[in-house]
Amino acid sequence: MTNATTLVDQYVAIWNEREPGQRAALIAETWTEDATYLDPLMSGNSAAEIDEMIAGAQLQFPQYEIRKLGAVDAHTDRVRFSWELVNVDDGTRLLAGTDFATIAEDGRLKAVTGFLDV
Amino acid sequence: MTNATTLVDQYVAIWNEREPGQRAALIAETWTEDATYLDPLMSGNSAAEIDEMIAGAQLQFPQYEIRKLGAVDAHTDRVRFSWELVNVDDGTRLLAGTDFATIAEDGRLKAVTGFLDV
C-alpha cells in the first residue's frame, strides 16, 4: 500500500493548489480516473469532476487553506484523517472535518467520503 | 433514506444478539446480502460471513457488549458513529472505535468500515 500519510498530504495539497495545471497534475497522480468524492456540501464522480469541484471550493473560499489535523489512521486499503479550513491571514478556523478514503490497488485514492466535525 | 440512527441501533443490537436465529433475522433486516465489513481485526464479504464474523467475536468476548457512543452523523447515503466494547459486569471499556457505513437504496447497510479509536 502507498504510504497513507504521503497520500493524505498530496490530497491536502490538491485542495490548496490554485494553479490549474499543477492541480490537474497532482490529481492525476493522487486520484484514479473513476474516483468519487462525497461530503455534505459537494460531490464529484470522476477525477475531472473532483478537479472542478475543488476549483469551485477555492473560488468560494479565496482566503482559506486546508490543513491536516493530527495523525493519519490507516488499515488494509482504508484511511481516515481530519482536517481544518483555516484563514491564511489570521489562522482562524472556519470548518473542520474527517474524511474516510479507500485506496485503489495502484495506490491512488478511489473514494473519499467527508463528514463535518462540530 | 432509512433513519440512520435506527439503522445504527439495529447494527449495534446485532453485535450483542447471541441467539443465532435472532441474530440471523436481524442481519437479514439490516444488511444487504452482498454487504461487506472491514476493520483492522476482521472482515466479512457477505451477510452470511458477517454473521459468522460476529459470532466469532462474541465467543472471543463473552463478557462484553457493544454500546453506541454519542450521536449518529449521516448525510446522503453515508453514516458514521462511534461505539465502545464494555464489560457487562463492571462497565469497564476494552475497546472503542468509529465506523463508517454506506446505505443501500433499499435502506439496509451495504458496507461498513471500522477504525479503532485510542
Side-chain angles (χ1 to χ4, degrees):
Chain A
M1 194 176 89
T2 308
N3 182 292
T5 301
T6 303
L7 195 61
V8 170
D9 288 341
Q10 287 180 209
Y11 170 87
V12 169
I14 289 166
W15 281 94
N16 297 327
E17 179 55 66
R18 289 164 188 265
E19 199 290 301
Q22 298 275 13
R23 191 178 60 240
L26 262 179
I27 284 179
E29 201 180 305
T30 307
W31 291 87
T32 62
E33 287 70 20
D34 62 349
T36 60
Y37 178 90
L38 181 63
D39 76 18
L41 306 172
M42 50 191 152
S43 66
N45 287 310
S46 67
E49 280 189 25
I50 290 166
D51 190 21
E52 283 176 39
M53 178 192 87
I54 290 172
Q58 290 173 347
L59 287 172
Q60 197 181 347
F61 299 109
Q63 291 305 112
Y64 287 82
E65 70 177 21
I66 299 283
R67 293 180 189 162
K68 190 173 67 178
L69 273 179
V72 171
D73 183 18
H75 69 78
T76 61
D77 60 350
R78 310 296 159 94
V79 184
R80 68 169 169 168
F81 60 93
S82 296
W83 52 268
E84 58 181 349
L85 182 65
V86 173
N87 184 306
V88 292
D89 294 327
D90 62 14
T92 54
R93 180 192 294 183
L94 183 66
L95 285 174
T98 298
D99 286 7
F100 304 94
T102 303
I103 300 176
E105 287 192 5
D106 69 8
R108 294 184 293 172
L109 291 169
K110 73 175 174 189
V112 172
T113 299
F115 289 89
L116 297 179
D117 295 324
V118 285
Chain B
M1 195 176 88
T2 309
N3 182 292
T5 301
T6 303
L7 194 62
V8 170
D9 287 342
Q10 288 180 210
Y11 171 87
V12 168
I14 288 167
W15 281 94
N16 298 327
E17 179 53 68
R18 288 163 189 267
E19 200 287 303
Q22 298 274 13
R23 191 178 59 241
L26 263 179
I27 284 178
E29 202 178 304
T30 308
W31 290 87
T32 62
E33 287 70 19
D34 61 349
T36 60
Y37 179 91
L38 181 63
D39 76 17
L41 305 172
M42 49 193 154
S43 65
N45 288 308
S46 67
E49 280 190 23
I50 291 166
D51 191 19
E52 283 175 39
M53 179 191 86
I54 291 172
Q58 290 173 346
L59 288 171
Q60 197 182 347
F61 299 110
Q63 291 305 112
Y64 287 82
E65 69 177 23
I66 299 282
R67 293 179 191 162
K68 190 174 66 178
L69 274 180
V72 171
D73 184 18
H75 68 77
T76 61
D77 60 350
R78 310 296 160 93
V79 184
R80 68 170 170 168
F81 59 95
S82 297
W83 52 267
E84 58 180 349
L85 181 65
V86 173
N87 185 306
V88 292
D89 295 329
D90 62 15
T92 54
R93 178 192 295 183
L94 183 64
L95 284 175
T98 299
D99 286 7
F100 304 93
T102 302
I103 300 177
E105 286 192 5
D106 69 8
R108 294 184 294 171
L109 291 169
K110 72 175 174 189
V112 173
T113 299
F115 289 89
L116 296 179
D117 294 324
V118 285

